[in-house]
Structure formats: C-alpha cells, structure tokens
Amino acid sequence: MKTDILGVAFDNIAPDEAAKLGAELAAGRKAAYVVTPNSEIVMAAGKDSALMSALNGADMVLPDGIGVVYASKILGTPLSARVPGIDFASGLMEKLSKKGGSVYLFGAKPGVAEKAAENIKAEFPGLVIAGTHDGYFDDDADIIADINEKKPDFLMVCLGAPKQELWMQKNAGGLAVGVMAGLGGCLDVFAGNVDRAPEGMQKAGLEWLYRLYKEPARIGRMARLPGILFKAAGQRMRGKSNG
C-alpha cells in the first residue's frame, strides 16, 4: 500500500517486509530499483521534477528518515515504521546469503567498497561479492559493462542523492541485475569508516542527533529538516480548510 507524503509515494511496510520484498524483486531479475528518501530528499523532490519522477518510478520507496514518519502522522496517514536503507540492505543480504546470492558494491571513495566487501563477506559468509567500483567516474559505460558481466542479484548504488536515484532510473532498462537500491553513505558504514548510532538512539529515531554530534559540520543540513514538518502541517491545514 502506498502512502503519499508531499508528493512522494512511500510503501507503508515494516523493515522485515521490505527485506522480503527485496528478495522477491531480486529473484525476478528485472533490474527493479529501490529508493530510500529521507526528509531532505523529499523536500528536494518538491523542487526537482526529475528527482520526484525517479522516486515515484521506483519499485519500492522506503522512509529512511524519522522526519518522514513524523510528517506522515501530521498528514493523518501514518507510516507503520521507519526503514533505514542500511537495515534494508543488511536484511536483503542476509536472505541472499542463505541461497548463495550475490551483491555488487558501487559508490563511495576509492578503496571504500573493497573494505566494505571484506566486512560484508565476514558478516554474511554465504554471500558472493560479485564486484566493486568506486563512485568517481566521468563515463559509466565500463562500470555498466562490468555489472552486466557479473550479473549480481543485488546492486548497491551509493552515489548520494539525487545522483543515485537518477542513475538507477536512467539505467534500469540496461542492467542485468535482480534489484538495486540507492543507499547513500552505506558503504562507509559497512567499511567501518562511519559509526552508526547506538541501538537505543536508532530505535528512538535519534540517529540524526548522533550524526550531528559526530559531524558538527552537518548542522546546516540538519537545520533544514524541520521544514518537512511545517510543510506537512500546512498541507494538512489546507486540506481541512478545503474540506
């Protein structure tokens, strides 16, 4: 079931359901793609029709940010849960590892994907690392050729928004993959370069606060996040008025 949050049609599903659906998409081998918008991406999509099209063209749209979940409540159409992209990736890789499935890691700075591959292989021993490539390129033809040669079940696209969403939408028709997902900085987490918040903060939806503590330079971006709540409240009020 889809839930509209400021123009973005989110899937209203729990994390375990998302991983299960991801495995089904991977088995379908149709180069399905998954997006994981947070508040910042939703707000950017409101001003960028190409990004909005890429988000709503995805086979699965998961609410990565707690701000999206709060906005859904303000709008009177509450999402059941936040589904962080990294949790979706981990859940899907766990399922694939039990069947000898494969993953290709694409994105981040040189060397990051290779380190992430080592850690992922250690965490999911049955998973095949089909290949890796950093996110620095002028022409992606060779990268696409390599991905198609390896034919991974799961392609992690970690180029940052909106580049990763636009890249997946553009290339979906020419990729020999099961499913791919735009996962931002997930490779840095898997590589051990960035720590996730303690589990308690994750459950409380306070990962943003932990990241701000670890990376104070993000204050400018964080300061813009309440905008989604104000925009949702305004839309709700206009809807009541019109009603």
Side-chain angles (χ1 to χ4, degrees):
M1 183 176 68
K2 294 286 187 178
T3 299
D4 185 285
I5 307 297
L6 303 179
V8 179
F10 284 89
D11 287 273
N12 193 2
I13 55 178
D16 57 339
E17 295 174 310
K20 180 181 178 181
L21 180 54
E24 292 173 359
L25 291 172
R29 301 297 307 181
K30 294 181 179 179
Y33 75 93
V34 179
V35 294
T36 58
N38 57 19
S39 301
E40 189 174 6
I41 296 173
V42 171
M43 292 294 285
K47 302 176 182 178
D48 184 340
S49 60
L51 175 57
M52 184 68 80
S53 174
L55 295 178
N56 287 330
D59 295 87
M60 186 159 42
V61 183
L62 303 176
D64 184 273
I66 191 64
V68 175
V69 176
Y70 287 157
S72 73
K73 293 179 180 179
I74 291 172
L75 289 166
T77 54
L79 293 166
S80 61
R82 172 175 171 252
V83 187
I86 193 167
D87 291 344
F88 167 74
S90 294
L92 176 53
M93 288 191 290
E94 181 178 8
K95 291 183 179 299
L96 291 174
S97 70
K98 295 176 180 178
K99 300 180 179 180
S102 60
V103 62
Y104 191 110
L105 312 179
F106 172 34
K109 295 180 180 179
V112 173
E114 288 78 7
K115 179 59 179 177
E118 294 177 9
N119 294 339
I120 287 171
K121 185 62 178 176
E123 185 174 357
F124 307 107
L127 188 68
V128 175
I129 305 297
T132 64
H133 199 288
D134 63 63
Y136 288 73
F137 58 90
D138 293 318
D139 184 350
D140 59 6
D142 289 342
I143 300 171
I144 291 173
D146 189 51
I147 292 170
N148 286 342
E149 180 183 347
K150 305 297 177 50
K151 297 179 173 59
D153 294 302
F154 178 32
L155 171 62
M156 291 178 59
V157 184
C158 300
L159 304 176
K163 186 175 182 178
Q164 62 195 14
E165 289 79 15
L166 299 175
W167 189 91
M168 291 190 296
Q169 183 189 46
K170 175 185 176 182
N171 294 295
L175 288 168
V177 305
V179 64
M180 52 185 161
L183 297 165
C186 283
L187 285 181
D188 279 301
V189 178
F190 283 119
N193 297 334
V194 175
D195 294 327
R196 288 195 74 183
E199 187 173 351
M201 295 187 77
Q202 293 179 37
K203 291 181 177 179
L206 295 174
E207 280 193 274
W208 63 271
L209 183 60
Y210 183 79
R211 290 196 67 184
L212 181 59
Y213 166 71
K214 298 290 286 188
E215 302 175 59
R218 296 175 63 88
I219 184 65
R221 293 176 60 183
M222 295 295 184
R224 297 197 297 269
L225 297 186
I228 193 172
L229 306 183
F230 290 116
K231 191 170 183 178
Q235 180 171 305
R236 182 70 183 275
M237 291 177 66
R238 287 192 299 274
K240 287 183 176 180
S241 177
N242 293 335

